[in-house]
Amino acid sequence: MRSSLVSSRLPQGFLWGAATSSHQVEGSNIKNDWYIWEKQAKIPSAGQACRHYDMYCADFALAKSLSHNAHRFSIEWSRVHLGRGRWDNSAIEHYRKVLGCLREKGLEPVVTLWHFTLPGWLFRQKGWESPEASGCFLEYVEKMVIEFKDYVRYWVVMNEPLIYVYQSYLAGKWPPGRKSLRLAFRVSKNLAKTYIKSYKIIRSIYSGREVFAGPAKNFIDFCPCSFNNFGQNSLAAFLRDRVFNVYFIDYLVKRNALDFIGVNYYRRDFIRAGLFDLAGKECRKEHHKLARNSLGWFIYPQGLEKILLRLKKYRRPVIITENGTTGNDDKDYSVFLEEHIRSVFSALSKGVDIRGYFWWSLLDNYEWDKGFKAKFGLAGITRNFKRIVKPFAYKYKDIICLNSAGRMSPQ
């Protein structure tokens, strides 16, 4: 292991782990909008996914065997919240057992309250388009935080809200499958205001006790396409960066509504403007020489350091809440992991307050409209749901062990 994969700057209790989300791994989530959407859009069904709902304790033992000291997961809103004022107590007790298992195995829970899925009953009422959605979500947030406050110090209020808006209301690939700029603005506004109210609820419930609440925000390194069109590509890349990377975090920081910034980072996008399209489109032509993963995303590890250094001005701790790839062989994963960890350590050496790193994902899982073809996991899943740890997961373990001696907080 080369010295660039060892950092003397890691803070005490640095979080090392992997991330999952409920619909992608649990299986048998039949009460949410994606269950409805998978049938309507005729896309692959999540079905039993990884059967993590039943196998969570074994999965956490696997994470612990890989020297993780934390795990990020999401509560499935549709399982616990059956309607306004109505709760499934057995589902709530299930998540209490999940949290108890994490604590028992020495894994710090990082809990996501919303990771894209909506209860079916809310979806049928127009979901985030409806002004009623905010009240429904706030009721859910309050209930979950009151129930689990003794187990949880880290809350991710929302995961990638702008990705949700884009995929659901501009691209139309996710439920409800709309393509409306007007609705996209409405939903964005609703999400932002609801996030702030949720943050205030969490802080009030903890009432002086230690808690960290924030968003998991997807960041992309936008770069102008090298095709020369009189500077329009540069303008398009700049506009995308401002709208997608900057606006939401600026909005929350100005309202003092986050304790940390969660960074989800995967790729660089080359942007090429059209004649009447200032925001441009993603260019995937072969004249871009960067390596790509098996989904065709351009891999650019230096972009993670660039994003982290830009976030330094906000003076908030940063957690890399997702970083990962889907590759064709183990070398793809190992190289991606090592180069992105180097970017993290380089940003640390330049004064960025980074508190954790989570690989996406612990398990190969259901990747939304892409089905099961994308393999992001530290462990693969066989047809009979056996977990097979991939070789690069042990590389990650080595990195954790080399950088954890003397720094682990007592459990």
Side-chain angles (χ1 to χ4, degrees):
M1 190 73 62
R2 284 175 279 182
S3 60
S4 58
L5 292 177
V6 179
S7 173
S8 61
R9 301 266 184 162
L10 289 185
Q12 183 84 7
F14 189 88
L15 303 174
W16 289 106
T20 58
S21 88
S22 55
H23 191 71
Q24 294 179 265
V25 297
E26 284 184 348
S28 302
N29 270 316
I30 62 173
K31 298 178 182 178
N32 67 27
D33 57 339
W34 269 86
Y35 180 76
I36 299 167
W37 179 250
E38 288 157 16
K39 292 177 171 54
Q40 286 182 353
K42 297 181 180 179
I43 60 174
S45 168
Q48 296 187 74
C50 306
R51 290 189 57 200
H52 177 74
Y53 195 84
D54 302 313
M55 301 173 69
Y56 65 89
C57 221
D59 288 335
F60 298 156
L62 185 154
K64 189 63 179 178
S65 75
L66 294 172
S67 295
H68 298 189
N69 68 353
H71 182 74
R72 179 185 167 214
F73 77 99
S74 71
I75 296 170
E76 177 57 37
W77 184 3
S78 67
R79 285 191 187 270
V80 298
H81 201 186
L82 304 180
R84 293 301 294 264
R86 296 174 54 227
W87 305 97
D88 187 326
N89 291 323
S90 64
I92 292 172
E93 285 310 305
H94 167 82
Y95 287 112
R96 198 183 312 279
K97 290 176 183 176
V98 168
L99 289 163
C101 183
L102 284 168
R103 285 292 181 194
E104 180 184 308
K105 297 194 180 303
L107 297 166
E108 182 77 40
V110 178
V111 181
T112 306
L113 287 162
W114 182 63
H115 200 124
F116 299 147
T117 57
L118 296 173
W121 55 267
L122 181 58
F123 178 63
R124 285 183 281 269
Q125 298 170 21
K126 296 194 174 180
W128 285 112
E129 298 169 44
S130 167
E132 300 299 317
S134 182
C136 297
F137 186 72
L138 296 174
E139 182 179 75
Y140 158 69
V141 168
E142 183 175 37
K143 178 71 171 177
M144 294 301 98
V145 175
I146 288 172
E147 290 285 348
F148 302 135
K149 64 181 184 297
D150 292 334
Y151 297 86
V152 181
R153 293 190 300 158
Y154 294 92
W155 293 98
V156 175
V157 180
M158 293 179 175
N159 181 76
E160 300 184 348
L162 297 187
I163 289 287
Y164 172 81
V165 170
Y166 176 79
Q167 295 284 15
S168 298
Y169 289 94
L170 293 175
K173 293 181 179 179
W174 292 2
R178 306 289 175 82
K179 293 183 180 181
S180 167
L181 189 60
R182 178 181 59 85
L183 289 177
F185 277 119
R186 179 192 295 178
V187 170
S188 297
K189 186 176 180 180
N190 203 2
L191 286 168
K193 290 187 174 182
T194 303
Y195 170 92
I196 290 173
K197 292 176 182 177
S198 302
Y199 174 83
K200 291 178 180 178
I201 286 173
I202 295 170
R203 298 297 305 185
S204 67
I205 290 171
Y206 278 78
S207 186
R209 292 171 55 192
E210 184 179 56
V211 65
F212 303 93
K217 172 72 181 70
N218 182 276
F219 292 88
I220 294 173
D221 182 68
F222 293 106
C223 179
C225 172
S226 57
F227 175 79
N228 188 354
N229 62 350
F230 307 103
Q232 283 180 287
N233 292 345
S234 295
L235 176 60
F238 172 79
L239 290 174
R240 286 202 172 209
D241 177 72
R242 294 298 301 176
V243 171
F244 188 82
N245 286 336
V246 176
Y247 171 74
F248 190 74
I249 296 299
D250 268 358
Y251 183 86
L252 300 187
V253 170
K254 288 174 182 176
R255 288 155 182 81
N256 196 28
L258 47 74
D259 304 312
F260 68 88
I261 300 171
V263 171
N264 293 1
Y265 177 81
Y266 291 93
R267 69 185 201 255
R268 162 173 271 191
D269 279 1
F270 293 96
I271 306 302
R272 184 170 179 174
L275 186 60
F276 301 105
D277 183 10
L278 289 179
K281 298 188 184 328
E282 183 183 351
C283 178
R284 294 195 175 190
K285 301 294 184 182
E286 295 301 323
H287 56 264
H288 302 299
K289 301 302 182 184
L290 292 182
R292 307 189 199 205
N293 69 12
S294 60
L295 290 175
W297 298 352
F298 288 106
I299 297 171
Y300 187 61
Q302 298 89 337
L304 177 55
E305 181 180 357
K306 284 171 58 180
I307 293 292
L308 293 171
L309 290 173
R310 289 175 65 187
L311 295 176
K312 184 178 176 181
K313 67 179 182 180
Y314 294 120
R315 303 190 179 202
R316 297 293 198 287
V318 174
I319 299 173
I320 292 91
T321 39
E322 290 180 25
N323 178 232
T325 194
T326 172
N328 296 311
D329 56 46
D330 193 70
K331 183 180 178 182
D332 292 340
Y333 292 97
S334 291
V335 170
F336 184 100
L337 172 69
E338 291 182 7
E339 291 184 349
H340 283 79
I341 291 291
R342 286 192 186 99
S343 284
V344 173
F345 287 173
S346 181
L348 270 165
S349 72
K350 295 171 184 174
V352 183
D353 183 7
I354 305 172
R355 304 287 182 89
Y357 176 91
F358 291 83
W359 178 268
W360 181 271
S361 173
L362 179 64
L363 307 169
D364 284 347
N365 57 38
Y366 180 75
E367 286 294 334
W368 308 110
D369 58 297
K370 299 173 182 64
F372 291 95
K373 69 178 182 180
K375 309 293 185 182
F376 283 90
L378 293 169
I381 308 290
T382 68
R383 289 187 177 182
N384 62 354
F385 299 101
K386 183 179 179 181
R387 277 62 168 148
I388 307 294
V389 178
K390 300 176 187 178
F392 88 99
Y394 296 106
K395 175 83 69 174
Y396 186 31
K397 177 179 180 178
D398 290 342
I399 292 170
I400 294 170
C401 292
L402 281 169
N403 287 281
S404 295
R407 294 193 183 94
M408 304 293 283
S409 294
Q411 300 292 339

